[in-house]
Amino acid sequence: MTGKICGILRQSGAVAIGVAKAAPVEEEVWRAYLDWLSRKGHAGMAYMENHSSIRRDPRLLLEDAKSIISLAFPFKPAAFREPEKGMIACYAYGLDYHDAIRIRLSKTLEKVKEEFGGEYRICIDSAPIMERYWAVKAGIGEIGDNGAVIVPGAGNMVFLAEIITTLDLNPNVNITNLDLCLHCGKCLNECPANALRRDGTVDSARCLSYLTIEHRGAWSESEAIAAMNTDAGKNIIFGCDLCLRECPLNYDTPHTAIQEFHPLKGIMELNKEGVAGLEQEDFSRIFKGSPIKRCKLSGLKRNIGENI
Ligand code: SF4
Ligand code: SF4
């Protein structure tokens, strides 16, 4: 049954699928998470402190949950934007992954449900669940020094999703240490804001991705101002992904075959002057269905240095 279900789910475009037994997160990993929170590694993302009992035990997300299916969807583009136009994190070149993956998974889950029954809950950044932990537990990859999950053959430019189910599937118990990360130090060295820690965690208060996507309002903390004053910080329109782009594990991986993640013309052509001239109407039109909508027009203008 497990193999058949994974086979059906593969039709969603996932490049890796694995199964873990639904259970509480291991003590050591949970302690490390609490430690990161206590060091304020999550900066202003207060929601990461919420729902800790669910985050610790995802069985609370679905009654009678037995298994967690972890899936990876690649987003590496065929080409990156020209740097002089300003940086946009490449995961945001296409349509919003939350919507795209949910639609794809819902369709394939209908087939699974028809054949095997069961209840399901899809999580795509939509529930308090430790997605990288479950990806490793399900055997689809390992966490590299840049904190991202490395999937064999697909690198670490992947979105993760989970399906919690009441079906008692066979967990992947043959997980071996693949040692996929080269520990080459490129991600740490190329991070313009010194936001990556040697233990594979991110200091969000310095991370350009957090500061230009998640953070609301003006930057006031000294580490945020210093990060935004670096050359890379000054060149950002939306997000940063240098720690992924510079990772050698992504050099030879294929670009995504998922149509929804293919670059949108309006986003590929946008430059900082274009952002400066944007009105709300243009913003809504250009970023319809795009993850960039998340930071609103005021966020984009702040990112390019306009007063807000
Ligand atoms: S850049 Fe090197 S050290 Fe960093 S995640 Fe990639 S392989 Fe690992
Ligand atoms: S996203 Fe950018 S700023 Fe954040 S850790 Fe990676 S390279 Fe550093």
Side-chain angles (χ1 to χ4, degrees):
M1 172 171 74
T2 304
K4 230 172 156 189
I5 289 176
C6 290
I8 296 172
L9 289 174
R10 211 165 259 279
Q11 295 166 16
S12 65
V15 288
I17 304 179
V19 174
K21 184 179 160 47
V25 170
E26 286 163 20
E27 181 71 24
E28 193 186 337
V29 176
W30 185 247
R31 291 260 148 245
Y33 180 69
L34 294 181
D35 183 49
W36 178 72
L37 287 180
S38 72
R39 287 185 277 122
K40 296 277 172 243
H42 59 313
M45 293 178 281
Y47 63 86
M48 301 199 86
E49 295 169 26
N50 300 341
H51 306 296
S52 61
S53 50
I54 300 176
R55 205 181 299 276
R56 178 80 200 268
D57 187 353
R59 290 176 299 180
L60 298 173
L61 286 165
L62 180 74
E63 197 178 338
D64 206 22
K66 298 274 192 321
S67 312
I68 297 180
I69 306 169
S70 178
L71 309 99
F73 296 84
F75 63 81
K76 182 179 155 184
F80 295 105
R81 280 166 46 89
E82 293 148 29
E84 52 277 12
K85 283 187 174 156
M87 158 101 77
I88 293 181
C90 69
Y91 86 83
Y93 287 1
L95 293 173
D96 194 318
Y97 65 97
H98 300 89
D99 303 334
I101 295 175
R102 186 169 293 280
I103 292 169
R104 283 171 170 263
L105 284 180
S106 300
K107 270 190 201 154
T108 48
L109 270 182
E110 273 172 30
K111 295 185 199 169
V112 174
K113 211 164 176 181
E114 221 169 81
E115 200 169 341
F116 299 98
E119 295 299 324
Y120 304 86
R121 177 155 179 181
I122 300 172
C123 306
I124 309 158
D125 267 358
S126 52
I129 184 166
M130 297 179 75
E131 56 175 8
R132 292 176 303 155
Y133 169 82
W134 290 107
V136 174
K137 203 77 187 151
I140 68 170
E142 287 175 359
I143 299 176
D145 287 350
N146 59 6
V149 170
I150 305 162
V151 172
N156 49 26
M157 285 189 174
V158 292
F159 297 121
L160 297 174
E162 303 76 40
I163 300 170
I164 306 175
T165 175
T166 53
L167 296 185
D168 199 0
L169 303 176
N170 291 335
N172 187 348
V173 287
N174 300 316
I175 298 168
T176 45
N177 185 0
L178 300 168
D179 213 6
L180 298 168
C181 179
L182 307 170
H183 307 296
C184 63
K186 283 202 94 176
C187 50
L188 284 112
N189 296 335
E190 296 294 334
C191 173
N194 198 19
L196 283 173
R197 296 280 161 264
R198 297 255 155 219
D199 62 1
T201 60
V202 178
D203 183 357
S204 303
R206 297 168 188 273
C207 173
L208 297 169
S209 190
Y210 162 76
L211 292 170
T212 59
I213 301 174
E214 300 289 337
H215 182 84
R216 297 285 167 258
W219 304 294
S220 52
E221 305 293 330
S222 57
E223 57 271 62
I225 293 167
M228 291 310 304
N229 273 329
T230 57
D231 288 346
K234 285 189 217 159
N235 193 39
I236 286 182
I237 292 178
F238 178 88
C240 168
D241 54 12
L242 292 172
C243 50
L244 298 181
R245 286 191 202 197
E246 299 297 338
C247 175
L249 297 171
N250 295 320
Y251 291 174
D252 298 323
T253 51
H255 60 80
T256 185
I258 297 177
Q259 188 66 37
E260 299 91 310
F261 301 154
H262 288 178
L264 298 169
K265 198 164 173 271
I267 291 176
M268 295 307 272
E269 289 177 350
L270 190 71
N271 58 20
K272 293 177 95 172
E273 292 70 36
V275 174
L278 280 182
E279 299 290 344
Q280 185 56 50
E281 203 179 308
D282 312 313
F283 179 84
S284 306
R285 178 175 42 79
I286 296 172
F287 300 112
K288 186 164 183 260
S290 154
I292 297 178
K293 242 183 12 206
R294 182 173 174 78
C295 88
K296 302 197 168 71
L297 179 59
S298 58
L300 274 197
K301 298 238 176 190
R302 172 204 60 186
N303 292 349
I304 62 156
E306 287 200 356
N307 287 332
I308 53 169

